[in-house]
């Protein structure tokens, strides 16, 4: 009995062991299924394979379908940081997961053929899952599509968002800057092929075999029409580098050691040239005397310099330390020019002739002569002897644009005050040369006690105003000879009366301002030649027919008058349309038979330029390149053509100095016709302005042209001189020049805000910093 029970118990024990064995076997099967599913999603990599694969992935480039790019009018703006995130974390995550799977692999024992069959079946299923998993992209790896979908290569404000222009990856040999990074994103087809190769290997333990790795290398180095290869890329890059200039990012800059210090203007502070002058009778010492070689040193910052106050608050006050000069506050304080108020210099809006404020004085002129029509008929004004330019500063409220002009003289920093306030001004003097403006362009010329001897030497200086004044335009002269009866003033008044009659200027009115106790004589220039022909004497003489009234760069003054235009299609024969219609109107004197700057007929050329810049400014500059326009007031277009860039900014609280280089087509008169203003200049010399006076400079294909005549380093040093710290420089030029300027900007420690290039054309936006070098360079010509 005991034996029977023993046999029964033995059978029970055997059944129990079989059940346990089956349970363990099933558990192992489940573990095997889980293991192979995991390994297919995250294949095992040993350290050597991981390293190799990482290197291979580093060579892969995302092929992002993108739309055809226009020139670069609609360039996308600053990009969010996540648009440049690749899949850099994938390799590390895969490695970590693979190591975990490998560890578990070593702890699992396969005891039967059935288990192996199950594993093989689950391996096939796992590979299918692997295809799905590996094909899913990390959302952070996708390159965001921009507003326009254009190809681009940009750097955001924080210099972190960078993407690659696909055109640079093809066989064009274009250069990549060192900041450019290639986004990496797994290719679904590539990962699928990789997984299939794993499933076909005989040894299931070798999850990522050498064969699969070789196949991957083969795919990434095959030229298939979309992907380039390193051999081609390297060859093209080497050829491209041969054509590129030497890297200038290590250019050694020095600080200018000059007597003028932070206020240095190279062409006005050439002390050695001024000492050699034989006469200063005609203010020769206030004229431009540029050094033989343009300086390449940097002007120091004043101690305590701060970012300029924004307009319109800047019209009334500026930081004292930005322009630390108090002489005018002492000499002219009682006339409400400028006062020292704590850490500010304040400007009550007064002047010698309008101690009760510029607005009252402006309205007084309007009341004296309603036909002057500020901001409608009269839009562009020249203010000679401007002081601190309060007259021009308050004319902005009447939609009037004023070119304020005064010399750098004993009236310390008057033009510098104006520019720091956000008011247009240049340092210039009426001496022996013509003003750098075309003929017949200013609607009004104003002089409030400017102490210019208009009647001297046959009226040579007044005749220069006659040259730049538009036919039918007004000359407003509010000076002591108009209303004072002391012998000297009476004598000047009589001489002016005789001269203006001989010039055929009509004395329209003499207005009296009882509040300020001053009077203003307002003259009008004739519209035709009738008066000139009827004069009994040819005094002042008429200029010869060969005298070009528009020639204004370094041209000596001549005491003569140019005839008024009479042909209906001749510039100056008609008054422009009233503002603001005139800014967009095609000038009536642009003839369809004449060829424009861009090769089309002149009117078509003008209209194309207008629409082009309207599009560029609206779609790109205002919204797409990360500029806070509320911080921008003083703007310069360093190579203006028809003024399209300035016209497109007309609704902002900015003013634009349009510079027409002396070696460019002379289109400056078109700019004035539009109700804008500008000046002729040679960029191989310094501009007649103080340091740190512009918030934004714009250069459209300027540097590629100017570097043929002078050193690019000197031009960039001049840009640095006139641009305020945190000011922006926008450059449109060929890629070679863009690269040169970018390298120089880096050597200046400027911030590269954005770059773009396509078809050998580029756009660069950079921001000046307050970096200054420690080494100095003495400029002997500027040492007293």
């Amino acid at each position: 009995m005991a034996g029977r029970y023993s046999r029964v118990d033995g059978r029970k024990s055997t059944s129990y062991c079989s059940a346990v064995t089956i349970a363990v076997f099933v558990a192992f099967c489940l573990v095997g299924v889980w293991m192979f599913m995991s390994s297919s999603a995250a294949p095992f990599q040993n350290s050597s394979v991981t390293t190799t694969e990482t290197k291979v992935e580093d060579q892969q480039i995302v092929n992002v379908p993108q739309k055809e790019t226009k020139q670069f009018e609609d360039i996308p703006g600053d990009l969010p940081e996540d648009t440049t995130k690749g899949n850099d974390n994938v390799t590390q995550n895969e490695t970590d997961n693979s190591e975990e799977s490998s560890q578990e692999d070593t702890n699992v024992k396969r005891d039967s053929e059935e288990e192996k069959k199950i594993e093989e079946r689950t391996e096939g299923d796992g590979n299918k899952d692997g295809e799905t998993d590996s094909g899913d992209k990390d959302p952070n790896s996708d390159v965001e599509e921009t507003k326009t979908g254009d190809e681009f290569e940009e750097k955001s404000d924080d210099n972190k968002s960078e993407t690659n222009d696909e055109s640079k990856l093809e066989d064009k040999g274009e250069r990549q800057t060192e900041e450019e990074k290639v986004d990496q994103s797994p290719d679904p087809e590539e990962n699928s092929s990789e997984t299939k190769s794993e499933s076909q290997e005989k040894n299931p333990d070798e999850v990522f075999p050498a064969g699969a790795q070789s196949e991957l290398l083969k795919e990434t180095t095959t030229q298939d029409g979309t992907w380039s290869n390193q051999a081609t890329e390297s060859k093209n890059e080497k050829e491209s580098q041969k054509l590129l200039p030497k890297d200038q990012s290590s250019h050694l800059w020095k600080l200018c050691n000059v007597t003028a210090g932070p206020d240095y203007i190279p062409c006005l502070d050439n002390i050695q040239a001024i000492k050699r002058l034989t006469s200063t009778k005609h203010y020769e010492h206030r004229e431009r005397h540029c050094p033989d070689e343009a300086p390449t040193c940097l002007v120091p910052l004043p101690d305590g310099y701060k970012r300029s106050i924004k307009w319109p608050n800047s019209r009334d006050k500026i930081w004292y330390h930005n322009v630390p000069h108090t002489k005018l506050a002492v000499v002219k304080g009682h006339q409400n020019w400028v006062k020292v108020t704590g850490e500010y210099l304040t400007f009550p809006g007064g002047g010698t002739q309008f101690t009760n404020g510029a607005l009252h004085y402006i309205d007084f002129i309007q009341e004296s002569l309603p036909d002057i029509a500020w901001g409608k008929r009269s839009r562009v004004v020249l203010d000679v002897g401007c002081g601190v330019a309060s007259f021009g500063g308050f004319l902005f409220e009447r939609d009037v644009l004023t070119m304020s002009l005064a010399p750098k003289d004993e009236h310390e920093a008057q033009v510098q005050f104006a520019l720091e306030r956000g008011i247009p001004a240049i340092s210039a003097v009426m001496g022996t040369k013509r003003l750098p403006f075309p003929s017949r362009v200013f609607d009004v010329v104003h002089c409030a006690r400017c102490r210019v001897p208009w009647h001297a030497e046959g009226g040579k200086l007044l005749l220069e105003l006659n040259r730049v004044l538009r036919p039918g335009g007004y000359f407003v002269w509010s000076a002591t000879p108009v209303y004072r009866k002391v012998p000297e003033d009476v004598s000047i008044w009589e001489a002016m009366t005789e001269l203006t009659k001989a010039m055929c200027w009509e004395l329209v009115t003499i207005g009296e301002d009882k509040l300020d106790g001053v009077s203003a004589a307002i003259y009008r220039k004739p519209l035709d030649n009738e008066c000139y022909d009827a004069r009994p004497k040819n005094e002042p003489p008429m200029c010869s027919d060969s005298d070009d009234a528009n020639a204004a760069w370094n041209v000596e003054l001549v005491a003569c008058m140019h005839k008024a235009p009479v042909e209906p299609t001749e510039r100056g024969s008609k008054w422009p349309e009233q503002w603001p219609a005139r800014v967009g109107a095609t000038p009536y004197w642009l003839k369809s038979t004449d060829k424009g700057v861009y090769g089309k007929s002149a009117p078509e050329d003008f209209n194309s330029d207008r629409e082009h810049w309207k599009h560029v400014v609206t779609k790109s500059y205002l919204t797409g390149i990360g500029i806070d326009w509320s911080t921008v007031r003083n703007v310069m277009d360093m190579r203006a053509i028809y003024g399209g860039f300035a016209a497109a900014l007309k609704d902002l609280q900015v003013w634009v100095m349009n510079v027409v280089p002396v070696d460019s087509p002379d289109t400056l008169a078109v700019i004035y016709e539009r109700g804008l203003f500008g000046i002729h200049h040679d960029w191989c010399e310094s501009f007649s302005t103080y340091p740190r006076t512009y918030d934004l400079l714009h250069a459209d294909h300027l540097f590629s042209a100017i570097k043929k005549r002078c050193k690019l380093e000197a031009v960039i040093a001049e840009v640095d001189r006139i641009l305020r710290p945190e000011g922006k420089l926008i450059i449109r030029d060929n890629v070679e020049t863009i690269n040169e300027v970018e390298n120089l900007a880096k050597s200046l420690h400027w911030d590269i805000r954005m770059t773009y290039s396509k078809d050998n054309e580029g756009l660069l936006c950079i921001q000046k910093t307050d970096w200054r070098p420690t080494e100095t360079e003495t400029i002997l010509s500027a040492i007293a």
Side-chain angles (χ1 to χ4, degrees), residues 622-767:
L622 295 185
T623 59
I625 58 178
I627 293 177
D628 179 4
W629 286 89
S630 69
T631 65
V632 176
R633 172 63 181 173
N634 303 355
V635 179
M636 178 186 288
D637 191 354
M638 299 177 71
R639 184 178 175 266
I641 303 297
Y642 298 118
F645 169 68
L649 295 174
K650 71 178 181 62
D651 294 329
L652 300 185
Q653 292 292 306
V654 303
W655 59 269
V656 181
M657 179 68 76
N658 293 283
V659 180
V660 174
V662 295
D663 58 346
S664 295
D666 188 1
T667 54
L668 193 51
V670 177
I671 292 170
Y672 278 90
E673 191 78 9
R674 306 184 71 174
L676 308 170
F677 64 14
I679 191 172
H680 294 294
H681 183 60
D682 183 352
W683 282 112
C684 288
E685 302 176 357
S686 74
F687 193 79
S688 293
T689 191
Y690 282 86
R692 305 170 303 280
T693 51
Y694 283 87
D695 301 303
L696 186 144
L697 303 182
H698 180 259
D700 181 23
H701 289 82
L702 168 71
F703 295 115
S704 57
I706 203 67
K707 70 180 184 179
K708 298 174 183 177
R709 299 195 299 114
C710 48
K711 291 182 179 179
L712 188 57
E713 293 90 339
V715 181
I716 297 301
E718 176 65 4
V719 167
D720 177 90
R721 190 184 70 83
I722 64 181
L723 194 61
R724 289 171 173 169
E726 299 188 42
K728 314 296 190 303
L729 171 63
I730 301 174
I731 304 171
R732 305 166 73 88
D733 221 309
N734 60 54
V735 170
E736 177 185 343
T737 302
I738 290 290
N739 288 335
E740 289 184 71
V741 175
E742 183 175 1
N743 284 334
L744 287 170
K746 289 175 182 176
S747 70
L748 286 165
H749 299 261
W750 288 14
D751 294 330
I752 310 300
R753 302 293 298 276
M754 188 200 72
T755 62
Y756 172 96
S757 63
K758 180 174 175 63
D759 297 334
N760 202 40
E761 289 295 313
L763 175 67
L764 175 66
C765 181
I766 48 185
Q767 178 174 299

Side-chain angles (χ1 to χ4, degrees), residues 242-259:
K242 292 179 182 178
L243 302 176
L244 292 173
K246 186 178 179 181
D247 185 8
Q248 296 166 309
S249 60
S250 60
H251 183 84
L252 179 62
W253 297 98
K254 296 182 179 180
L255 214 57
C256 297
N257 177 26
V258 293
T259 300

Side-chain angles (χ1 to χ4, degrees), residues 328-339 351-352 355:
L328 275 178
V330 174
V331 176
K332 300 290 186 179
H334 65 288
Q335 296 174 350
N336 287 331
W337 279 35
V338 57
K339 298 179 181 296
T352 304
T355 56

Side-chain angles (χ1 to χ4, degrees), residues 447-467:
C447 169
R449 204 173 181 178
C450 52
R451 296 185 178 276
V452 177
W454 300 118
H455 61 288
E457 298 186 355
K460 184 182 290 187
L461 299 183
L462 194 61
L463 291 170
E464 173 61 3
L465 294 189
N466 184 74
R467 183 184 71 85

Side-chain angles (χ1 to χ4, degrees), residues 55 79 206 218 266 305 423 474 517 535 598 625 633 658:
K55 291 181 180 179
L79 304 176
E206 193 173 1
K218 180 179 178 182
Y305 181 86
I423 301 171
Y474 296 106
R535 292 185 304 163
Y598 305 114
I625 58 178
R633 172 63 181 173
N658 293 283

Side-chain angles (χ1 to χ4, degrees), residues 124-301:
D125 295 337
N127 281 332
K128 291 180 182 178
D129 291 340
E131 287 179 28
T132 303
D133 291 345
S134 62
D136 291 338
K137 292 185 179 181
D138 186 338
N140 287 338
S141 70
D142 293 336
V143 178
E144 282 191 16
E145 183 176 353
T146 65
K147 297 177 183 178
T148 62
D150 291 345
E151 297 175 348
F152 59 93
E153 170 197 7
E154 295 186 349
K155 300 171 187 175
S156 66
D157 283 349
D158 56 5
N159 290 327
K160 292 180 181 178
S161 299
E162 301 170 357
T163 61
N164 239 355
D165 190 336
E166 182 181 337
S167 63
K168 284 198 171 187
L169 304 177
E170 298 176 357
D171 295 338
K172 295 186 178 180
E174 295 186 8
R175 186 182 182 192
Q176 292 181 330
T177 59
E178 62 186 13
E179 287 81 15
E180 291 174 358
K181 298 177 181 177
V182 179
D183 292 333
Q184 298 180 5
S185 180
D187 190 327
E189 295 182 2
E190 189 175 81
N191 285 342
S192 177
S193 299
E194 174 187 329
T195 307
K196 289 178 180 178
S197 298
E198 295 168 10
S199 67
Q200 295 169 358
E201 291 300 316
K202 295 181 179 180
N203 187 353
D205 289 332
E206 193 173 1
V207 182
F208 191 23
Q213 180 181 345
S214 300
E215 185 65 22
L216 182 62
L217 287 172
K218 180 179 178 182
E219 290 177 4
T220 58
T221 57
T222 300
Q223 188 75 21
D224 62 1
T226 300
W227 305 106
S228 182
N229 57 51
Q230 273 297 313
T232 303
E233 290 173 358
S234 297
K235 179 181 178 181
N236 290 340
E237 175 64 9
K238 290 173 183 177
E239 293 299 322
S240 177
Q241 287 181 356
K242 292 179 182 178
L243 302 176
L244 292 173
K246 186 178 179 181
D247 185 8
Q248 296 166 309
S249 60
S250 60
H251 183 84
L252 179 62
W253 297 98
K254 296 182 179 180
L255 214 57
C256 297
N257 177 26
V258 293
T259 300
D263 300 334
Y264 179 46
I265 306 176
C267 290
L268 297 182
D269 291 317
N270 191 344
I271 298 173
Q272 301 306 315
I274 293 172
K275 287 180 177 179
R276 292 193 296 267
L277 294 174
T278 57
S279 173
T280 58
K281 179 181 178 181
H282 298 99
Y283 301 95
E284 293 91 342
H285 57 302
R286 305 299 184 194
E287 294 181 325
R288 291 171 59 84
H289 300 281
C290 298
D292 295 334
E293 194 169 322
T296 57
C297 55
L298 308 182
V299 177
L301 295 175

